[in-house]
Every structure is written in structure tokens, then in C-alpha cells.
Amino acid sequence: MIRRFFVEKKPGFNTESVDLAQTFRRILNLKKLENIRILYRYDIEDLSDDIMEQVVNIIFSEPNVDHVYTDEMPLSKEEKVFAIEFLPGQYDQHGDSAVQCIQILAGRRPLLKVAKCVVLQGDLDGKDIDKIKQYMINPVDSREADLGPRTSLTDAVKNPAPVAKIEGFIDFTDEERKAFAQTMGFAMSPEDLAFVQTYFKNDEKRNPTVTELRVIDTYWSDHCRHTTFATQIQSIDFERGPVNEAVEKAFAHYDETREMLYGSETDRPITLMDLACIGTKDIKARGLVPDLDQSEEINACSVNITVDHDGQDEDWLLMFKNETHNHPTEIEPFGGAATCLGGAIRDPLSGRSYVYQAMRLTGAGDVTAPIEQTLHGKLPQRKISQEAAAGYSSYGNQIGLATGQVFEVHDPGFLAKRMEVGAVIAAVPKKNVRRDVPVPGDIILLVGGRTGRDGCGGATGSSKAHTEESIHESGAEVQKGNPIEERKIQRLFRNPELAQMITRCNDFGAGGVSVAIGELSDSLDINLDKVQKKYEGLDGTELAISESQERMAVVVSESDVDRFIALGHQENLEVTPVAVVTDTGRLRMNWRGDEILNLSRDFLNTNGAKQYTDLLVQEPGKPQPFKTTGDIAGRTQKMMGDLNVASQKGLAEMFDATIGAGTVTMPFGGKYALTPQDGMCAKIPVEHGDTKTCSIMTYGYNPGLAEWSPFHGGESAVIESLAKVVAMGGDFRKTRLSFQEYFERLGQDPSKWGRPFAALLGAFE
């Protein structure tokens, strides 16, 4: 038997309804809308009457602020109603939290479905209601729910078919290969797929499985292997002009540095990656970064520091990481921005460090533009910005992470695709971090969340161009964050006993099992049947590449497995052995008794066919002068009306900068707490006692300058960020830089390749 309850906030507490009504009157121009009511509908399998009463009055509602209705919601004849629910397979944090609370009361996890019912009052026609539905329902993750009674709370599950082999693949012609790649939606280039075909034809002498091709596509994606940055540049040309004189001088400086560092390696290719990293190689060769922490781990930037702990010096590691989630946030703002922060946290977390402060820098078009001006096939800029801010702040506030600085840059260029950047800073006592090479017999444990379809293809999707179809076709690529689960992992990894058991660790980001576990050792046997699932019906390929969030893969000695699992259970975390380190030189996966993947590690490490390009650095045009027409008052008003100049305190106040009581500089200072800080500063998170050791993080970015001249944009970004560190009292000599590129798809256009090249030259100079 299924029982149904509706919960509605009482007047005075119904802020969600009031805010929505104001938004629709102002943004959708629905002047005849009189009122909105929001009711949450709960369908739950029958529990005993005493448990059900506690569930309704303790978990579903609070008697002092909520009305509760049984079976049906009260509606007048004039009111119109529709309901919204998550798509099957999408993670519903609201419902999951309720189920966990019920489990405490009832001793078991009941089936539960939640829907949001929207009740409209006013003289609204069908077009008005469609406007509201279109604004509220994002087809990427939600749908309109049936208002009728449910007969079942169990989603229909199809038994997954065996993983198929691609018959005839090794004999495909060029045209057949091209058509196949288009059908499969691969991110691989045609050259990559031809390279794969040659490998299976000559080395394996067999046709590949679907899983093998999906895993290869994921491994070699731009997101996982930075294939664009590894592309070899064959020729470099500069358009003549006064601006490019400086660019050419910087290139000559870069060339001299290459000769000094690489010496006789004259055939070493020029790539964007080499240009991005050569500054660090240079100062390292000159002995200017003695505090650099080096290891085979590739989790986050890591620096050795000395921390004052109650007057005693201790050796610590400081880690930092920045991450973008541009495409996911474009199509599913809340989840995309939330997992931008979640993904950034997991990198230093997999380095066993504790993340204690975050920064958010985003780019949007005009968020004040009327909704009628929304580009076809896109969500409104206002909706993207508001929901993305809500997603990022929700995740940070729930996991318990202070967000020290928040800023949104506004520029028409971001109409093409939003920029969503999250940066975090973390620290850990050095004695807690053990770094060894996995040996045969070591066990790989999966810690944390279960696997679902959310995030399948996210690694390849993150680098795709945004099209009108993206919002409908890419929903599965957007992961769903679970900050509560990640918070439990943070607590677990702060335990010195457990941290010191970990030989090596990876977070489950892009690529899921295939990359997170696949990168831990050169030889692995993975049993996909051991991977815990959110629901049934997942096939072997989905289990291999799903990017479901809040999971970690750790390598431990076989003798430590039982103790590690016991410590995980103390934090209410599932810990499951899923793989073993071998000495075969191959990555192998088994599912339902079949070997669905068996690939040479040497082949995977090639990162695909070598890519080549030519490059042209264009001469920038003349800078656009600032228009100074009108009187001083008019010019001042126009300047102050610029969204980049206007106060963003309302945005920043969605985020909590005080969590953990370690923040030194609040986001806004001055007598009236209205002056934005140049950056963020926080104390190192010692668990017991106190410290006077702090970290500072700032950013530098000017979209107008970067658009005019990428070279000067890159140069300015470095100078601006360092100047802010100095202005906050920091030492620029102890500063480390982390670059985040943001450019259009480059394709085979030499002038497009010239833009990131010029930006990196500016940063190098």
C-alpha cells in the first residue's frame, strides 16, 4: 500500500512561493499572476501507524511552520496545478535525505518518491502556464509528474544485455569508420579511431567490445588527457604589427628557455602543454622552488610548508586545485556548478588533505536581459546564473566549506558558453601522507557513493561544443553531487591511522572506474560485479565509465583491507574491494563472468594518434576607446550601471565564508562591510589548538583585455593576481600560479590555435 502526504509552508514561512511569484511577475511579465503555492508531495510505501506519524511530523514537516494534507491537496476551482519530479536515475537529495532519516526510525530503507506541486492563482491562460513550466522544468534532469495516484514506487528495470563486440570493426573502410564514430558520438578524432582499428587488427587480432571503445574514448578525451594541449605545433607564424612585436620577443625568450632546459633535444615538439609548464621547469632548474612537493601522484598542486601549531613548527603539505564545469553548468546549472566544487574538492582530498576554503569565478552574459532575448536552444542567462550560484553554494554550505571569494564576470562572449570555475585550497600534516608504488596483490577499494547513470560520458562531453540539442541529449553527462557523502569521506581521510594505510588514491571524476581505478597501477584486474549500484539495470559499459560523484578509489595492502573497511563503516561509508593489482601490463575488466575489456597499458598510454597543427598569432586591432559622450553625471551612471562594476554582495551572501572559523578576511570589509576584498585568506586547519600560519588565494582575469589581445590577457592575469597577493600582505616569491584556459573549439584553424598560444606566452613572460 502506498500512502501520500502533501506538505506546504504556512504564510510567513513560504519564502520559496513568494520569491517565485515575484520572479514570474517581473521576469516572465505575468502581471495577472496573483499567487503561487508550493507543496511537496511524498509517496511512501506503508509503514506502521506509529512510525508513519513520526515520519510525517518529524521528517516531512515541522508543525509550527508546515501544513500537512493527507491523500489530496486542497485546491479551489480557480487554482491550476502541475507537478515536477526528477527523471528516473537522477539523484534526488531531498528524497535520499528523507529515506535516510526514516531508516533511523524504522530500521529499514522504504521506497519513497518526491514531487514538487506548483499551484497557480490568477487569470492565466495556457501560454502563461507553459511559460512557467518552461522556466521551472529543465528537461536535462526533470519532467512533469503525473498528478494521479501511484500504483508502484519501483521503476521498471530492464535486464541489461551482454556487452557486444563490434563485428567487422577491424575491417571497416574509412567511410564505415566515420559513420560508426558519428553513430557512437565519440570524442575521438578520425585519426584516433584509425589508430584504434590498427591496434585491434595487428596487436589484438580481434574486434573490440563496446566497453573497450567507450573506455578508450574516455581515456583519450581532452578532459582526461589534455589532447589539445599535447598537439604538436608544426609551424608558427606571427602577423606583423606593433602588438605582436612583444609577442615575438616573448616567443624568442621561450625558445631560449627551451634550449637551456632541453639542450640537445632539438626535436622535442612545441606544444601548448610545454609552453604552460616551462615556466615551472625553468624556476625549478634554477633552484627557486625548493618547497615543491614532487611525486607520481597527479591529484593537485602540492607545496611543502611549515605551520606554526601552538608555537611549534610542523611540516605540512599545502594543496590547491581549480576546475571548470562550463558545459555541465550550461545545460544543468544547479548540478553542474555543485559538482564543479565537488570535483575540485576531491582532487586535494585524494591527496589526503583537508579542503578548508573555496573561491568561485564565473562568466555570464547579461543576466538582466529580458527572457524573450534568450538564445534559441539555451536556458536564460538569469536562470543559469541564479541556479548555478544556488548549486555551488548549496554544495559548499552542506559539506562545510568556507567560500572566501565569489565574483561573476559579465561579457557578451559568455552567451556562447558560460564559464564556471571553482578553486579550492587544502592542507595536511606531511606525516599523514604515504606515497608508495602499488605492488601485485594490493587491493583497490571503492569508498563512498554508489554508481548510477548520471555522468556517463561526462569526460568526453565536457569538451563538446554547445548546440541546440545539448540540453536534450547531454543530460546523462551531468553528474549529481552528494555533499553529505563527500563530507563523510573528508572526515574519514582526516584520520591519521587510515590516511597512512593509503598507498595511492584517485577520486572518481572524469571517466569513472575506467580512469579513477585504471590510473592507479599499470596492471589491474577489475571486477565490475563488485561495484555498488544506486539501482539495477546498469550494464558493464555504464559501470565502467559512469562518473557518479562522491566516490574514491584507494590502494591498500591486503592486510589492511579489513581495518580500512571497519573505519569506513564508522563514518557510515560503504567500502568495497573491487580490483586487485597484477603484473600483466594490462587493464582488464570482468562483468557477469565475461571479460569485457582487456587492453595493453602501453597502448592506453599512447593517448591516441599524434595530432599536429599549424599556428598563426594574429595582430590585435585597435582597442575600443571608452565612450565619453554626455555629461559627467550621465557617464558616471553608465559606468556604475556596468554589471562588472556594480556591487555583487547579494551574490556573495549566498555563500558562507565563516564555516570552520578559519577565515581571516571576510569577503566584504570596510566601515560598512561593502568593500570587496582583493582575495581570500584563511588559517591552516589544525584540528586541535591554534595557528598563526595562513594561506592567501587571489585571481586575475579581464575578459575585455583577453578578448582584444590574448597575450596581454595572460600577462595581465599573472600581474593582477600577484599584485592582489602583495596588497593583502603576501609574499609574491612564495606564490604558485594555476592557469585555467578558456577558449573556443580550435579545430584546424591556425588563427584559433594562436589565441591560447599567445595567452600562454603572455603568462610565461
Side-chain angles (χ1 to χ4, degrees):
M1 178 182 173
I2 298 171
R3 299 180 67 172
R4 173 169 286 185
F5 299 90
F6 296 88
V7 178
E8 179 181 17
K9 293 294 180 188
K10 294 178 180 178
F13 299 97
N14 58 338
T15 54
E16 182 182 12
S17 304
V18 173
D19 288 346
L20 269 179
Q22 291 177 348
T23 296
F24 293 151
R25 292 189 196 105
R26 185 173 68 252
I27 304 303
L28 301 183
N29 200 30
L30 298 177
K31 304 300 183 186
K32 295 181 179 179
L33 176 64
E34 296 173 5
N35 190 32
I36 290 181
R37 296 167 56 203
I38 300 291
L39 297 91
Y40 283 90
R41 185 183 77 189
Y42 299 92
D43 290 318
I44 185 171
E45 66 179 6
D46 199 10
L47 299 171
S48 63
D49 290 341
D50 60 329
I51 293 292
M52 189 63 73
E53 184 179 355
Q54 292 181 69
V55 165
V56 172
N57 294 321
I58 298 175
I59 298 172
F60 290 168
S61 67
E62 298 176 77
N64 55 326
V65 299
D66 293 310
H67 290 301
V68 177
Y69 311 106
T70 305
D71 296 329
E72 293 184 3
M73 55 183 148
L75 293 174
S76 66
K77 292 181 179 179
E78 295 76 24
E79 290 179 321
K80 304 170 181 68
V81 62
F82 67 93
I84 307 168
E85 65 182 0
F86 279 112
L87 293 170
Q90 292 283 358
Y91 175 67
D92 177 8
Q93 186 180 7
H94 187 142
D96 184 47
S97 298
V99 166
Q100 290 188 49
C101 292
I102 295 169
Q103 184 181 9
I104 295 172
L105 289 174
R108 63 185 180 90
R109 294 174 67 93
L111 292 175
L112 174 74
K113 295 290 184 182
V114 183
K116 179 191 287 189
C117 300
V118 182
V119 181
L120 306 171
Q121 298 172 355
D123 185 15
L124 303 173
D125 58 24
K127 289 184 178 179
D128 294 333
I129 296 173
D130 286 343
K131 273 186 180 181
I132 293 174
K133 288 181 180 179
Q134 188 176 5
Y135 189 91
M136 293 191 70
I137 303 174
N138 185 346
V140 165
D141 68 346
S142 305
R143 67 184 180 187
E144 187 171 354
D146 192 333
L147 294 173
R150 287 183 179 272
T151 56
S152 173
L153 296 181
T154 305
D155 295 317
V157 176
K158 293 182 179 179
N159 189 36
V163 171
K165 283 195 172 184
I166 310 301
E167 298 299 337
F169 175 82
I170 59 177
D171 298 316
F172 278 176
T173 64
D174 289 349
E175 289 303 313
E176 288 174 328
R177 198 170 57 239
K178 188 181 297 184
F180 176 70
Q182 191 169 5
T183 301
M184 297 291 284
F186 286 140
M188 281 188 282
S189 68
E191 295 81 9
D192 283 333
L193 198 56
F195 185 68
V196 172
Q197 186 183 34
T198 301
Y199 165 75
F200 278 101
K201 187 171 186 175
N202 296 338
D203 293 12
E204 297 293 326
K205 297 180 175 58
R206 63 177 174 86
N207 288 308
T209 65
V210 172
T211 307
E212 288 173 321
L213 293 183
R214 290 291 186 197
V215 166
I216 293 168
D217 191 44
T218 299
Y219 244 89
W220 294 351
S221 67
D222 225 340
H223 189 104
C224 293
R225 285 294 180 273
H226 311 294
T227 47
T228 297
F229 264 50
T231 297
Q232 298 183 18
I233 299 169
Q234 299 180 108
S235 67
I236 301 171
D237 292 312
F238 298 88
E239 285 187 354
R240 297 298 169 196
V243 176
N244 268 357
E245 285 182 11
V247 183
E248 289 193 71
K249 285 181 181 177
F251 178 69
H253 184 191
Y254 163 62
D255 215 25
E256 292 169 6
T257 306
R258 279 174 54 85
E259 186 175 349
M260 179 188 72
L261 289 174
Y262 305 143
S264 60
E265 295 182 56
T266 52
D267 60 343
R268 190 183 182 107
I270 293 178
T271 64
L272 295 178
M273 186 65 79
D274 183 66
L275 178 52
C277 298
I278 200 166
T280 301
K281 293 176 182 177
D282 179 26
I283 60 175
K284 181 186 167 192
R286 290 191 276 143
L288 299 178
V289 282
D291 56 358
L292 180 66
D293 175 58
Q294 282 189 277
S295 71
E296 291 186 9
E297 290 193 4
I298 50 173
N299 297 311
C301 307
S302 184
V303 180
N304 287 289
I305 63 171
T306 301
V307 173
D308 160 65
H309 189 179
D310 289 336
Q312 299 294 318
D313 286 346
E314 293 181 352
D315 292 331
W316 282 58
L317 293 175
L318 187 75
M319 298 188 188
F320 58 95
K321 177 73 192 312
N322 60 297
E323 175 156 328
T324 63
H325 254 209
N326 307 324
H327 179 70
T329 307
E330 180 77 35
I331 62 173
E332 207 281 83
F334 189 98
T339 51
C340 177
L341 177 59
I345 290 171
R346 283 195 309 275
D347 281 301
L349 177 58
S350 56
R352 280 77 87 196
S353 62
Y354 180 74
V355 179
Y356 59 93
Q357 198 173 38
M359 176 185 287
R360 180 174 183 257
L361 176 66
T362 54
D366 184 357
V367 294
T368 66
I371 199 166
E372 293 79 13
Q373 294 180 13
T374 302
L375 294 180
H376 183 63
K378 287 176 64 72
L379 297 171
Q381 288 296 301
R382 182 187 188 92
K383 181 179 176 70
I384 294 175
S385 283
Q386 287 185 330
E387 291 197 2
Y392 194 109
S393 63
S394 170
Y395 198 102
N397 294 347
Q398 288 184 77
I399 200 171
L401 177 60
T403 307
Q405 187 169 40
V406 179
F407 191 79
E408 184 148 282
V409 175
H410 298 276
D411 188 272
F414 293 117
L415 278 173
K417 185 185 277 190
R418 175 182 181 80
M419 179 177 75
E420 184 74 34
V421 182
V424 297
I425 190 158
V428 60
K430 191 167 184 177
K431 63 183 180 182
N432 286 8
V433 182
R434 166 190 166 199
R435 289 177 175 142
D436 293 331
V437 177
V439 297
D442 282 352
I443 304 299
I444 293 170
L445 305 173
L446 195 158
V447 184
R450 294 189 165 205
T451 298
R453 289 192 178 90
D454 47 307
C456 283
T460 54
S462 64
S463 301
K464 290 178 182 175
H466 180 78
T467 67
E468 290 183 14
E469 288 73 37
S470 293
I471 197 167
H472 303 292
E473 296 178 353
S474 303
E477 295 172 359
V478 182
Q479 310 94 325
K480 288 293 180 184
N482 184 347
I484 306 305
E485 195 75 6
E486 187 155 295
R487 182 181 175 120
K488 290 189 287 186
I489 299 174
Q490 278 193 308
R491 286 199 301 263
L492 180 68
F493 278 27
R494 285 197 99 177
N495 182 334
E497 180 191 356
L498 179 128
Q500 290 164 17
M501 292 181 193
I502 299 173
T503 298
R504 188 171 288 178
C505 179
N506 255 350
D507 72 292
F508 274 80
V513 166
S514 66
V515 175
I517 295 179
E519 286 182 337
L520 288 170
S521 175
D522 287 340
S523 308
L524 287 167
D525 285 350
I526 302 172
N527 185 351
L528 294 175
D529 293 319
K530 298 286 188 181
V531 175
Q532 299 292 311
K533 302 182 288 291
K534 293 180 181 177
Y535 36 80
E536 295 302 318
L538 298 174
D539 64 29
T541 303
E542 291 169 324
L543 290 169
I545 66 171
S546 166
E547 296 178 24
S548 290
Q549 301 293 281
E550 284 59 84
R551 300 178 293 162
M552 307 294 280
V554 299
V555 182
V556 299
S557 300
E558 187 175 10
S559 59
D560 288 332
V561 169
D562 291 342
R563 178 59 179 161
F564 195 108
I565 292 174
L567 291 171
H569 288 174
Q570 288 179 13
E571 291 290 353
N572 194 26
L573 282 165
E574 288 185 326
V575 182
T576 311
V578 295
V580 62
V581 177
T582 66
D583 59 1
T584 61
R586 300 185 73 84
L587 174 63
R588 301 187 295 206
M589 294 185 187
N590 281 275
W591 179 63
R592 293 188 169 183
D594 293 329
E595 187 176 75
I596 62 173
L597 183 143
N598 188 336
L599 296 173
S600 161
R601 174 62 59 176
D602 290 339
F603 167 69
L604 277 175
N605 289 346
T606 63
N607 295 335
K610 286 184 170 59
Q611 308 286 333
Y612 302 91
T613 190
D614 298 320
L615 186 148
L616 171 66
V617 180
Q618 293 178 308
E619 170 71 10
K622 289 185 177 180
Q624 293 296 317
F626 184 75
K627 295 181 180 179
T628 57
T629 55
D631 59 10
I632 183 70
R635 295 202 305 272
T636 302
Q637 282 186 331
K638 182 178 180 181
M639 181 187 72
M640 298 302 288
D642 185 336
L643 291 174
N644 293 306
V645 175
S647 172
Q648 296 192 11
K649 189 174 183 182
L651 170 65
E653 286 180 338
M654 295 178 65
F655 302 79
D656 191 343
T658 66
I659 297 171
T663 298
V664 175
T665 54
M666 292 295 288
F668 291 84
K671 182 177 179 180
Y672 301 103
L674 290 171
T675 306
Q677 291 283 0
D678 287 323
M680 64 185 198
C681 180
K683 297 198 296 183
I684 302 300
V686 297
E687 275 200 89
H688 308 288
D690 199 7
T691 182
K692 295 179 181 178
T693 308
C694 301
S695 63
I696 293 174
M697 181 180 277
T698 65
Y699 77 88
Y701 176 57
N702 184 321
L705 181 62
E707 187 175 6
W708 168 67
S709 168
F711 175 83
H712 290 88
E715 193 173 50
S716 168
V718 173
I719 295 169
E720 180 185 349
S721 58
L722 290 176
K724 289 177 177 177
V725 168
V726 174
M728 294 185 71
D731 184 347
F732 72 90
R733 287 172 289 262
K734 294 182 180 178
T735 302
R736 301 292 174 261
L737 299 168
S738 179
F739 297 118
Q740 185 65 63
E741 75 283 358
Y742 186 89
F743 290 91
E744 72 269 60
R745 180 177 290 275
L746 304 181
Q748 297 298 316
D749 186 338
S751 63
K752 288 185 177 180
W753 279 89
R755 291 169 196 159
F757 186 78
L760 289 167
L761 271 179
F764 167 75
E765 189 65 15

